[in-house]
């Protein structure tokens, strides 16, 4: 460690290991070197390394397996759903959505899309419209907007088996984008005619509007998502602690 | 430590220290004994004690002050708001609500209140109706329901200066209830005539409905809160990481 850097040493070590994961130097599912070797290689104490690893674990970038070592997290659809999908049925149980993509297009970012994605207005974005079905009923109408520069030649899985996979898993496997964090703004809105057609509800039905921006492990805004959730039979769960 | 207990030692130590805070043996704002003394008293290693302290810190029960030691958290209105109040204006900035209590009553719990508060139906509850005003406009209509057994002789501060204080601070100072966690279910609903009167909005305006149950440091459900937020000029912020 010879970098002149004002950050605490464990934060610098975290950044170095983060880079190895983001760059693909350490691949999804790969075992990390043993802690003593890694600490020696980086020239830091066991305590400093452990503190850095704890932070990477908190960010879901690595995972410890009891008695078997530490691995780069291999994100599954279940993990992605568990972490990022907060919809519950009225009994409080998680729902397993089916997802149907209804449209994909590429075009210049609107002023609002550019502001949220930190792009210049007019830069190219991909737009994906989809609906999500819970227990046989369409309950979410949503648009996902992606910076085209980060998703070159966006290829969406279209076979039903692949559609079952969460899109964040696809971002990682097909585009090397590792999602770590989302910020959401929630509000209530009335169903428009377009919502009513997708969600099979009366125009004016109160919907939960979820505006999400998502960050990857490199700190970039990688996705804007606007979801409209029919809450007549579902809730959005939040834990505050 | 002579208790036969299957939990990891640091979890047992956490429970012991948690009890000292809940019982008032260690008071709000009080300094904890130095770590070596505390470890010796409990008969555990420095590492085990530190792990237990880290968990109490995560739960906001204690706080470390750089170079000055560790203290039982003295919850302030600012901390309570920062932790539990997620409303932002459209620029993304936190709002500082004014709070007006419009009604207080005591009576038997309804079936729904009893279920949520884990009481028997008909057990006594206090109900507090209030409105919260942001930047001069009423934006939240809410009802708080409390188990009367936990809040004997409920006394609410009514002087304006005290009303400025968050109610969770009052729970702690007046009733010894230390709030640590809330679970919320969010949905969208249409403003009723009663909502419209309180919130000064048209009947049918989509509102964000927030159903919250809150737990204290002893693991009890201590509050049920149903809030109806007018989101025409505000958002509810969530971070997922």
């Amino acid at each position: 460690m010879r970098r002149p850097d004002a950050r605490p040493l464990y934060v610098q070590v975290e950044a170095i290991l983060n880079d190895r994961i983001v760059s693909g130097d350490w691949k999804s599912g790969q075992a990390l070197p043993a802690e003593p070797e890694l600490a020696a290689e980086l020239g830091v104490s066991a305590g400093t390394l452990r503190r850095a690893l704890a932070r990477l674990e908190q960010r879901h970038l690595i995972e410890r397996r009891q008695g078997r070592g530490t691995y780069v997290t291999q994100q599954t659809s279940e993990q992605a759903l568990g972490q990022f999908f907060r919809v519950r049925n009225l009994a409080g149980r998680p729902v397993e959505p089916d997802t149907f993509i209804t449209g994909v297009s590429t075009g210049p970012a609107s002023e609002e899309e550019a502001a949220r994605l930190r792009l210049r207005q007019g830069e190219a974005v991909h737009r994906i419209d989809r609906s999500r079905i819970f227990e046989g009923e369409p309950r979410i109408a949503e648009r996902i907007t992606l910076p085209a520069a980060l998703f070159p030649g966006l290829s969406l899985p279209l076979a039903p088996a692949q559609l079952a996979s969460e899109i964040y898993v696809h971002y990682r496997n097909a585009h090397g984008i590792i999602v770590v964090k989302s910020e959401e703004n929630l509000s209530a809105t009335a169903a428009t005619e377009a919502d009513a057609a997708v969600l099979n509800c009366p125009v004016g039905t109160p919907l939960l509007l979820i505006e999400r921006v998502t960050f990857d492990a490199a700190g970039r805004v990688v996705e804007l998502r606007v979801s409209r959730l029919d809450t007549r039979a579902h809730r959005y769960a939040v834990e505050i602690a």
Side-chain angles (χ1 to χ4, degrees), chain A:
Chain A
M1 301 282 306
R2 264 176 273 106
R3 315 196 319 172
D5 192 324
R7 296 175 298 173
L9 194 55
Y10 68 91
V11 174
Q12 298 180 46
V13 171
E14 179 194 5
I16 290 170
L17 302 182
N18 186 79
D19 282 353
R20 290 189 186 177
I21 296 169
V22 170
S23 67
D25 185 13
W26 284 353
K27 298 202 186 337
S28 176
Q30 178 178 329
L32 268 61
E35 289 186 16
E37 289 164 35
L38 193 51
E41 183 219 323
L42 295 165
V44 300
S45 73
T48 297
L49 175 63
R50 228 169 279 142
R51 219 163 151 184
L53 292 175
R55 287 166 59 100
L56 290 169
E57 191 182 14
Q58 263 184 351
R59 293 171 57 220
H60 305 280
L61 286 175
I62 63 171
E63 54 189 20
R64 287 151 202 264
R65 299 182 198 156
Q66 199 70 33
R68 293 173 51 205
T70 304
Y71 294 78
V72 178
T73 301
Q74 191 158 25
Q75 198 178 33
T76 64
S77 287
E78 289 68 33
Q79 286 168 324
L81 264 186
Q83 187 179 352
F84 288 98
F85 191 69
R86 318 296 288 267
V87 179
R88 305 288 180 263
N89 65 22
L90 294 182
R93 274 191 286 277
V95 296
E96 288 183 22
D98 289 319
T99 304
F100 287 91
I101 293 176
T102 54
V104 180
S105 62
T106 300
S110 70
E111 189 176 344
E112 162 122 30
E113 288 168 331
R116 300 258 182 196
L117 288 168
R118 302 184 190 167
L119 303 176
R120 277 186 305 275
Q121 197 175 336
E123 275 192 80
V125 294
H126 301 307
R127 299 189 187 91
I128 304 165
D129 293 321
R130 26 184 242 172
S131 65
R132 310 198 85 176
I133 287 89
F134 312 152
E135 293 147 8
E137 297 284 342
R139 298 296 190 184
I140 295 179
E142 69 188 0
R143 166 164 288 187
I144 292 172
T145 307
L146 305 170
L150 293 180
F151 295 86
L154 175 73
S155 66
L156 282 173
L158 288 173
Q162 290 176 294
L163 268 177
S165 164
E166 276 303 290
I167 200 163
Y168 291 166
V169 176
H170 182 70
Y171 293 172
R172 179 163 189 160
N173 295 341
H175 299 280
I177 302 268
I178 306 173
V179 161
V180 293
K181 190 178 80 158
S182 292
E183 292 174 0
E184 296 187 337
N185 282 315
L186 274 50
S187 57
T189 194
T192 61
E193 286 194 16
D195 294 328
V198 175
L199 298 172
N200 197 19
C201 68
V203 172
T205 301
L207 303 178
L208 183 61
L209 175 64
I210 306 166
E211 299 171 287
R212 170 191 287 192
V213 290
T214 294
F215 299 80
D216 79 348
R220 302 174 297 193
V221 179
V222 296
E223 180 198 73
L224 166 67
R225 183 184 297 206
V226 179
S227 308
R228 305 163 81 80
L229 169 64
D230 178 349
T231 60
R232 286 178 296 172
H234 294 85
R235 295 289 177 267
Y236 175 104
V238 177
E239 184 165 315
I240 301 176

